[in-house]
Structure formats: structure tokens, C-alpha cells
Amino acid sequence: MRLLKLTVKTFYGLEGVLKDELEELGFKDVEILNRAVQLKGTWDDVYILNVHLRCAISVLVELKSFKIRKEQDLYEQCYNYPWEELFEVTKTFAVKGAVHSDIFRHSQYPFLLVKDAVVDRFRAQTGERPDVNVKTPQILLDLYANNDQMVLSFNTSGAPLFQRGYRESTGEAPLNEVVAAGLLRLSGWDKKTDLIDPFCGSGTIAIEAALWAAGIPSNIERRHYAFKNLKSFDNEKFEQIFDAIEKRVMSLPCDIYASDISAEMVTKTRRNLRALPIGRFVKTEVCSFDEVKKKGEKGMIITNPPYGERMGDEIEELYSGIGTWLKHEMTGYTCWIISSNMEAMKQIGLKPDNKIKVFNGKLECTYRSFSVFEGKRSEELQKKAES
């Protein structure tokens, strides 16, 4: 069986944890790229990756790789590909990707060339043409142009994989689900230690944590994938893969707590939890972060507090309060905080053990861990850490 060349895309900073995830699923020879990893696999593997990966945005299958000297070469190479064997003319399609090449007069022009080639090929072979649908295509083609090297791929996911299918409600600035899954892995959380999110928003971190701890794929509620629109789609095989997933949860190996000062946001969290098999195991509460108490001697806090775009001077006071709360209430815990507000992070008043650059949407963020020391020497050790 000929193996496919697969490119799995992710966000900046999550390439390493995505590789870890793939290796845990049994894949080998995974190569790390910029915002992506590459590996070899079968169409069965494509189904598995789309369903099981938590830290991936999309899974691409390479269709054709070639070099060009002029714009027309791209059209001709794409026209010569047997698109009519890949999908039916009745399916809508779109072309997206990334272009880093001086060959083209305009960065969007390569996508237009590919689109024209696909349409012209279908018209010549079938007498009909497929329609283009930029917003919700059934077939999504990906073009990567790097100088004279072109790589044409099929995006087997279609809509990004962070569209899990479980989210009913969000807040104004929801944390991306793939980012949340990546933060959990970057923290080193062992899925056994109790986890607290005191700024839970619509519950993304807590939900991703509970699904991971239960061994249930984050995409358990997702039904739409672009690979289902291919002529070669094997529905029986896909159903076998999906049916093999254990969907019943009797308990979690740890306690997970999600709270927020906003009753509206906690209601959104509860709505998002409602349809999931782990929903009843996540404990939710309406309260301010500084009202949250230790649940045991040790634990993990992973949270995404406000970054301050709409808060003015109040943001420094908030982060200072987080630091005070950690020192007085959460000794013995490890706390991970993501924020785009570097100045506010300094107000926490604890020396970070670790700093990782990540992105939340288009915002460049820092993801930092703080260890809160235990015992009588706590205050002394914290003063040393701050100095």
C-alpha cells in the first residue's frame, strides 16, 4: 500500500506536543516543521488523526508536488491532475493556502489559477463544472508556494479541528480549543492531579482536560469532515474507527473545577458540558478567583485570565491579586497562566519557573508557570524568588 504524505497543521509553539500526541497514537518518524508536523500514513490513518488529535488544526494529504518557472506552469500542472477521480462535480470547492513566491504578481493569483484549472478540467472531462464556495466548501484544496516549489494538498478536515462540535456558547474572547489542549500538554499535567481553572469563561480548559483525562477524543461530537466528500471515502471503515471509541465515563482519575465571577459564563460552561459524557464530572461554581480554596495538598491551576484590553488600570490590580491569592491560599500548587499582557504578568510577584511563547488567535502570549512553595519557609522563599 502506497503511503500518503501527511502534513498536520497546528499553532505556533504546539508543534512539539502535537508530535508527542502522534507518537502516543503509534505514529513514527514524525518531523517537526513551522506550525506543523509531517509523517506518512494511510487513508485509515487520516480518519484516525482527524477524530483523535487534540492539538491539530487540520490534516492535509499531499496530492502533487512540483516546480514552476512561470505562472502558467501552475495552471497546467493543476489542469493535468485527475480531479474527476477525486470528487464528484456536484461538490463545491475552494482553494486556500500560503504563497511565498516572487513568480506571482499578486499573492491571491495562484489560488485563482488552481481554481480555474480545476473547473476547466472538470468541464473538459464531464461537460460540467463544480461550483466554488469560499465560506463552506465541501472540498478544500491547499496550495503552498515557496519560491518555485509548489505543493498541492487536500485538506481532509475541512473546517478547522478546533470546531469540536460540543460548544454551544462562548464568551467575547473564547480560548481556542486546540490552544487549550496544547496548554494542558505544555504544563506537564499528568491527568491524575486535581485541576482548577478560576477564570473558566465558557469552560474550554476544563472541558479539554476532562475529555483528555477520560481518554475520549475532543472531536467526539463532531460529525463533519471534508474527507467524507471524496469518492474514495470508506464509510464502513470510518464507522469502525468511531465505534471503537469508549464513550461511557464512570468517573475521572482526578477532580476538575471550573469557576468564574460571571454567572453568565458559568452558565455557558454548564451548557457546553451538558452534551458531553464527561459533563457531570466537572465541578462548576460562580465565584471570584480569590474565593477559590485548595482542594488538597497539591494540585494544578491552568487558567486564562483577562488580558486587559477593556479594563484599563484595573488589570494590574487583578494580576497583583492573583499573586496574593496564590501565595496565601494555594501553597503546594503549580499555576500556569497564559496572557498577552506582559506588564500585568509582572504584577503577580512570583518568579516564573518556565516561560513559553504561544498564540491565542492572533495575540502573541506568554504561558508561564509558578510554583507556590509550602510550609513555614514559604514567605522567605518567595522573597528570594522575587529578588
Side-chain angles (χ1 to χ4, degrees):
M1 182 183 294
R2 185 178 70 87
L3 292 178
L4 306 165
K5 188 173 184 180
L6 308 179
T7 299
V8 185
K9 291 188 175 182
T10 189
F11 291 108
Y12 176 92
L14 303 186
E15 300 92 342
V17 291
L18 176 57
K19 180 182 179 182
D20 292 343
E21 211 181 346
L22 284 159
E23 290 175 346
E24 287 172 14
L25 287 170
F27 293 91
K28 299 178 180 178
D29 300 322
V30 180
E31 179 186 358
I32 290 181
L33 307 176
N34 180 31
R35 293 180 171 85
V37 301
Q38 273 188 347
L39 66 155
K40 296 290 181 68
T42 65
W43 277 108
D44 288 1
D45 294 330
V46 168
Y47 301 164
I48 291 168
L49 296 179
N50 273 282
V51 172
H52 283 272
L53 288 178
R54 305 174 195 274
C55 299
I57 299 172
S58 56
V59 180
L60 274 55
V61 170
E62 184 176 306
L63 301 176
K64 195 173 186 178
S65 177
F66 52 91
K67 288 189 175 183
I68 65 170
R69 290 189 295 176
K70 56 184 184 299
E71 291 177 340
Q72 187 63 17
D73 294 345
L74 175 60
Y75 172 89
E76 291 176 359
Q77 287 280 351
C78 292
Y79 181 85
N80 290 328
Y81 188 83
W83 300 106
E84 69 280 1
E85 296 177 10
L86 191 69
F87 63 96
E88 298 283 358
V89 71
T90 54
K91 302 297 184 184
T92 61
F93 81 102
V95 185
K96 299 181 181 180
V99 175
H100 310 284
S101 174
D102 294 331
I103 294 175
F104 303 99
R105 291 166 286 177
H106 189 280
S107 61
Q108 295 299 306
Y109 189 56
F111 307 132
L112 181 62
L113 285 171
V114 177
K115 185 265 292 182
D116 288 346
V118 173
V119 169
D120 292 347
R121 170 78 186 202
F122 265 103
R123 188 184 284 119
Q125 296 294 318
T126 70
E128 299 179 85
R129 57 155 292 168
D131 291 330
V132 174
N133 184 332
V134 176
K135 289 187 176 180
T136 56
Q138 292 169 300
I139 299 292
L140 182 56
L141 302 179
D142 184 279
L143 175 69
Y144 177 70
N146 185 18
N147 297 319
D148 63 345
Q149 182 67 46
M150 306 289 117
V151 179
L152 192 61
S153 302
F154 169 57
N155 185 329
T156 69
S157 308
L161 292 174
F162 51 74
Q163 294 184 15
R164 308 291 206 206
Y166 65 67
R167 178 175 266 177
E168 291 185 21
S169 305
T170 65
E172 289 185 7
L175 183 67
N176 183 289
E177 289 86 344
V178 167
V179 174
L183 297 181
L184 287 161
R185 279 191 168 265
L186 287 169
S187 74
W189 183 55
D190 60 6
K191 297 179 283 182
K192 299 176 183 177
T193 302
D194 289 352
L195 183 70
I196 297 173
D197 180 2
F199 295 92
C200 72
S202 56
T204 308
I205 290 174
I207 290 171
E208 291 292 326
L211 288 168
W212 190 27
I216 293 177
S218 293
N219 284 321
I220 191 69
E221 292 297 317
R222 177 169 165 144
R223 295 293 179 266
H224 58 282
Y225 299 96
F227 60 71
K228 290 187 173 184
N229 295 312
L230 294 178
K231 281 186 172 182
S232 61
F233 173 57
D234 186 340
N235 186 64
E236 184 178 351
K237 174 56 70 174
F238 177 75
E239 291 300 330
Q240 286 177 2
I241 290 168
F242 195 79
D243 290 345
I245 298 168
E246 177 57 60
K247 302 175 182 66
R248 292 179 300 171
V249 181
M250 305 307 293
S251 65
L252 294 182
C254 60
D255 288 327
I256 296 175
Y257 302 88
S259 59
D260 200 286
I261 196 170
S262 166
E264 180 185 0
M265 296 313 297
V266 174
T267 297
K268 291 179 186 293
T269 296
R270 289 168 179 164
R271 284 178 183 159
N272 291 332
L273 284 164
R274 191 166 48 198
L276 291 166
I278 47 82
R280 63 194 176 101
F281 300 109
V282 176
K283 300 171 175 62
T284 59
E285 185 179 5
V286 179
C287 65
S288 174
F289 73 91
D290 51 8
E291 296 177 295
V292 176
K293 306 297 182 183
K294 284 181 12 175
K295 312 301 181 183
E297 289 305 307
K298 294 185 181 296
M300 178 87 75
I301 300 164
I302 300 179
T303 195
N304 175 44
Y307 300 166
E309 289 86 351
R310 297 179 295 274
M311 292 182 65
D313 294 338
E314 295 176 23
I315 195 66
E316 292 193 358
E317 183 179 340
L318 172 66
Y319 279 67
S320 176
I322 292 172
T324 299
W325 168 67
L326 290 174
K327 292 175 217 178
H328 290 135
E329 299 292 343
M330 307 308 289
T331 55
Y333 276 55
T334 298
C335 178
W336 283 87
I337 299 175
I338 178 175
S339 179
S340 66
N341 195 324
M342 312 301 171
E343 288 302 312
M345 286 286 265
K346 295 177 183 177
Q347 302 304 313
I348 290 175
L350 293 167
K351 185 176 180 180
D353 302 314
N354 204 350
K355 298 180 184 179
I356 303 172
K357 178 181 172 182
V358 294
F359 280 80
N360 183 12
K362 294 182 179 179
L363 291 175
E364 180 179 331
C365 297
T366 182
Y367 186 43
R368 301 184 182 184
S369 68
F370 304 92
S371 296
V372 190
F373 301 109
E374 289 187 86
K376 296 179 180 179
R377 298 182 61 214
S378 173
E379 187 174 343
E380 175 187 343
L381 289 168
Q382 294 295 358
K383 286 180 180 178
K384 287 183 179 180
E386 294 164 25
S387 64

